[in-house]
Amino acid sequence: MEVVLHHQSPCCLRLKLVEKKSSLYGLRHFPARRNQVFCSTSISSIRSLKRSNVNHLQLKNLNHREVSSSTSLHGFRVAHPKASNESCTGYVIDGEEGLRDISENAESIPKVLIPPLPDESNGCRAPTSSCYWEWKPKLNVYYEKSGCGNINAPPVLLLPGFGVGSFHYQKQLEDLGRDFRVWAVDFLGQGMSLPMEDPAPLPMEEDLSDGKDFTWGFGDKTEPWANELVYSVDLWKDQVRFFIEQVIGEPVYIVGNSLGGFVALYFAALNPELVRGITLLNATPFWGFLPNPVTSPLLVKLFPWAGTFPLPANVRKLTELVWQKISDPRSIADVLKQVYADHSTNIDKIFSRILETTEHPAAAAAFASIMFAPTGQLSFRESLTRCREKNVPICLMYGKEDPWVKPVWGYQVKRQIPDAPYYEMSPAGHCPHDEVPEVVNYLLRGWIKNVESGGSVALPLLDDAEAIDYDLTKNLEFVREGSKKLVKIRYFGSNFSIWNQIRSLIKARLKNLVIKPRQLDRHLFHLFSSAPLHTEPPFASRQRKPDRTLFSHNDKACEAVGEVSCKAVIQAMKCG
């Protein structure tokens, strides 16, 4: 199988598939196939193939100050150290106080010191190689790997979220690659796994984009190799299966963020024999809008087009309008600003790589295919059920400040699989593996050791195996760029209750209200009776139960509660 050579002086490696016997997981053995892989330790030459150099791109940030893509994005900056009992870096968002005061309750919460990321001063980073694997004609899958010398170590496969690629896992490749064999792939239609030829070329005399290079796939006739091409979760599920069988050669631990988490769970539900375990990092709980042709053959007839090539004329026009907006550098910066809770995180490389992807001539049509692709054969909930029935080990890691996959989604997953360890990180947003990689790598190492030992090694942060049923909170401290950082970790055990978590969220938001108890009682008494406001409430002097929450009817209370409507609760209390 030929693999594309993309470096001037590559190191030619012949991939040797490792067969590993294990009675614990019932691993399948795959016959070694002759796959010639050309790898390199640099992707600079690949970037040079792009049509423009983003290092010279000038854009205006949200405050209309011109900056280059090589500088830090506006809004992401390091705060000055706070005065506390620890010398820690604070978190600042747009000049306001961060997500939480890291010194709050620092003395009452146990602290665990964890190692920093490897660098020149504290240890050697694992070398990474970038490769292409030709899966199908004209469809080459880009991937990066590290830790190839760790022959007897467990293999780990990293699946990225929507709109990014293997570059989003650089901190895992360089760190985890010291202990495991690690692969990170780009899904077809994303990152650097976009096609190298036009799936539906335009006629020579027609140019809808006025010379802009995003018109691949906008023609009226599809090339033979792209007749059945749809960038769907079923395509990515098959891509993962063949990648494991042909490149890795044995079952793996799969780690997926966002869309990657959905694909990881979906794949494990249908191919449990290829999976040692999966870790979900803020996994999106749904993907796709149109019905699946296998599960809903009659309903599919109502939708004549479902992400195939060529794109219909009306979809082409819509795609051009939408793509101009979402591929704008300012839009990309806005999205990154949303999903990263700690705005001191350096995301310059992530920003540049995403921008490079949007400049690929096939990116716009691939985006349209993804948006109109059908759903998978199983829903997220159905996949969870199957994985539980097949005893697939699952670990849940969620950033608490994720604006998209909010904590309640993670709580629902935990409720469905109560035996799965759940780690909630704060402050951390939608991409905790890039925002707090020290924490994610530490937890991943510990969880894999726990699974590999059959449970004899305790889960990370637990003192013994018996503590798995109970909740606990600990602060993880590490050093980054010379400053100490604290991340609060909440572990939810088997006795997890979603209602307790919702109640805790409500109490936490009401805690910030500056309302005196006696004044609050008077407001409530006025609401629940026809007595004038100056009348003394009969329950003002009574001691309130500690677990009963009193709501005020003012707008400030309603805003603090958020999703829970105070007025609705008060009305329900009125009705008895």
Side-chain angles (χ1 to χ4, degrees), residues 484-555:
K484 291 182 179 180
K485 294 274 189 176
L486 275 183
V487 175
K488 183 178 179 181
I489 303 295
R490 297 183 64 191
Y491 168 82
F492 299 140
S494 302
N495 296 329
F496 171 82
S497 171
I498 189 173
W499 299 113
N500 289 340
Q501 301 308 318
I502 294 177
R503 183 171 58 183
S504 299
L505 289 174
I506 296 175
K507 286 184 176 181
R509 295 190 179 188
L510 287 176
K511 184 179 179 180
N512 296 326
L513 293 180
V514 186
I515 301 179
K516 296 180 180 180
R518 189 178 183 86
Q519 181 182 0
L520 180 61
D521 285 346
R522 292 174 62 86
H523 280 297
L524 288 171
F525 178 70
H526 177 64
L527 284 173
F528 297 134
S529 67
S530 58
L533 186 60
H534 63 271
T535 305
E536 181 71 9
F539 50 86
S541 60
R542 299 179 187 175
Q543 184 176 2
R544 295 184 301 276
K545 296 181 180 180
D547 60 343
R548 181 178 180 182
T549 305
L550 299 178
F551 295 92
S552 171
H553 72 291
N554 59 28
D555 294 336

Side-chain angles (χ1 to χ4, degrees), residues 153-297:
V156 180
L157 177 61
L158 309 173
L159 302 182
F162 175 65
V164 291
S166 54
F167 60 84
H168 212 195
Y169 283 114
Q170 180 183 2
K171 298 168 184 175
Q172 281 68 46
L173 288 163
E174 295 178 345
D175 185 8
L176 297 178
R178 299 184 297 171
D179 302 316
F180 308 104
R181 290 173 292 142
V182 186
W183 288 262
V185 301
D186 289 12
F187 287 131
L188 285 171
Q190 302 186 57
M192 297 184 67
S193 290
L194 287 161
M196 295 186 176
E197 293 186 15
D198 193 341
L202 285 167
M204 295 297 295
E205 66 277 4
E206 185 178 1
D207 188 357
L208 294 178
S209 60
D210 298 326
K212 295 181 181 178
D213 292 328
F214 65 86
T215 57
W216 281 16
F218 278 57
D220 295 323
K221 186 178 180 181
T222 304
E223 293 293 310
W225 61 269
N227 278 332
E228 298 180 358
L229 179 61
V230 181
Y231 295 116
S232 64
V233 289
D234 281 313
L235 176 72
W236 299 325
K237 176 255 299 178
D238 293 339
Q239 173 188 339
V240 172
R241 178 169 67 89
F242 283 99
F243 187 84
I244 293 175
E245 292 179 347
Q246 297 182 14
V247 178
I248 300 177
E250 61 178 298
V252 298
Y253 288 98
I254 304 180
V255 181
N257 169 239
S258 190
L259 169 62
F262 185 97
V263 176
L265 189 69
Y266 182 38
F267 170 79
L270 297 176
N271 304 274
E273 71 280 1
L274 301 180
V275 180
R276 293 174 181 254
I278 57 176
T279 298
L280 304 182
L281 299 170
N282 290 72
T284 180
F286 44 81
W287 190 263
F289 302 101
L290 301 184
N292 186 277
V294 176
T295 58
S296 305

Side-chain angles (χ1 to χ4, degrees), residues 386-407:
R386 284 206 185 185
C387 286
R388 185 179 183 183
E389 292 173 350
K390 299 294 184 180
N391 296 319
V392 177
I394 299 177
C395 182
L396 307 173
M397 300 183 192
Y398 282 72
K400 183 179 179 181
E401 285 74 31
D402 187 345
W404 296 347
V405 184
K406 293 183 177 293

Side-chain angles (χ1 to χ4, degrees), residues 550-569:
L550 299 178
F551 295 92
S552 171
H553 72 291
N554 59 28
D555 294 336
K556 187 175 182 180
C558 295
E559 180 181 0
V561 173
E563 293 82 5
V564 181
S565 172
C566 293
K567 295 182 180 179
V569 175

Side-chain angles (χ1 to χ4, degrees), residues 390-500:
K390 299 294 184 180
N391 296 319
V392 177
I394 299 177
C395 182
L396 307 173
M397 300 183 192
Y398 282 72
K400 183 179 179 181
E401 285 74 31
D402 187 345
W404 296 347
V405 184
K406 293 183 177 293
V408 66
W409 291 108
Y411 298 159
Q412 291 181 12
V413 176
K414 174 62 176 176
R415 183 184 181 187
Q416 190 172 348
I417 47 174
D419 294 335
Y422 185 107
Y423 296 94
E424 182 180 81
M425 297 163 277
S426 179
H430 188 63
C431 311
H433 60 289
D434 188 56
E435 194 167 3
V436 285
E438 299 88 349
V439 174
V440 171
N441 296 354
Y442 172 81
L443 296 177
L444 268 175
R445 277 190 174 94
W447 177 72
I448 292 177
K449 290 180 180 178
N450 171 264
V451 177
E452 288 289 298
S453 67
S456 61
V457 176
L459 288 166
L461 302 185
L462 302 187
D463 297 330
D464 54 66
E466 296 180 356
I468 192 173
D469 296 333
Y470 307 103
D471 300 349
L472 60 85
T473 301
K474 291 187 177 181
N475 282 330
L476 298 190
E477 182 183 288
F478 53 91
V479 177
R480 183 190 297 172
E481 297 178 352
S483 300
K484 291 182 179 180
K485 294 274 189 176
L486 275 183
V487 175
K488 183 178 179 181
I489 303 295
R490 297 183 64 191
Y491 168 82
F492 299 140
S494 302
N495 296 329
F496 171 82
S497 171
I498 189 173
W499 299 113
N500 289 340

Side-chain angles (χ1 to χ4, degrees), residues 31-192:
R33 296 183 57 175
R34 298 183 63 184
N35 294 314
Q36 191 173 14
V37 179
F38 293 92
C39 305
S40 75
T41 57
S42 173
I43 58 174
S44 58
S45 59
I46 302 176
R47 295 179 183 175
S48 65
L49 296 177
K50 302 300 178 182
R51 305 231 170 215
S52 62
N53 187 351
V54 296
N55 291 329
H56 296 90
L57 175 70
Q58 296 290 323
L59 58 98
K60 288 187 177 180
N61 63 14
L62 300 180
N63 285 344
H64 305 289
R65 289 179 1 196
E66 289 192 356
V67 297
S68 68
S69 63
S70 61
T71 61
S72 299
L73 293 177
H74 173 66
F76 287 72
R77 62 186 182 85
V78 181
H80 297 290
K82 293 185 177 183
S84 66
N85 60 334
E86 294 293 338
S87 176
C88 301
T89 300
Y91 295 87
V92 169
I93 302 177
D94 289 343
E96 299 178 357
E97 179 126 13
L99 300 169
R100 68 179 181 89
D101 187 348
I102 60 178
S103 64
E104 182 181 359
N105 299 327
E107 297 181 356
S108 61
I109 300 177
K111 184 188 301 181
V112 178
L113 301 178
I114 64 174
L117 292 177
D119 57 24
E120 293 79 4
S121 62
N122 59 29
C124 180
R125 299 188 183 100
T128 61
S129 301
S130 32
C131 311
Y132 272 104
W133 164 61
E134 185 181 46
W135 175 30
K136 295 181 178 181
K138 312 297 183 181
L139 295 179
N140 297 309
V141 175
Y142 176 82
Y143 67 96
E144 298 185 16
K145 63 179 180 178
S146 65
C148 297
N150 305 322
I151 299 177
N152 297 321
V156 180
L157 177 61
L158 309 173
L159 302 182
F162 175 65
V164 291
S166 54
F167 60 84
H168 212 195
Y169 283 114
Q170 180 183 2
K171 298 168 184 175
Q172 281 68 46
L173 288 163
E174 295 178 345
D175 185 8
L176 297 178
R178 299 184 297 171
D179 302 316
F180 308 104
R181 290 173 292 142
V182 186
W183 288 262
V185 301
D186 289 12
F187 287 131
L188 285 171
Q190 302 186 57
M192 297 184 67

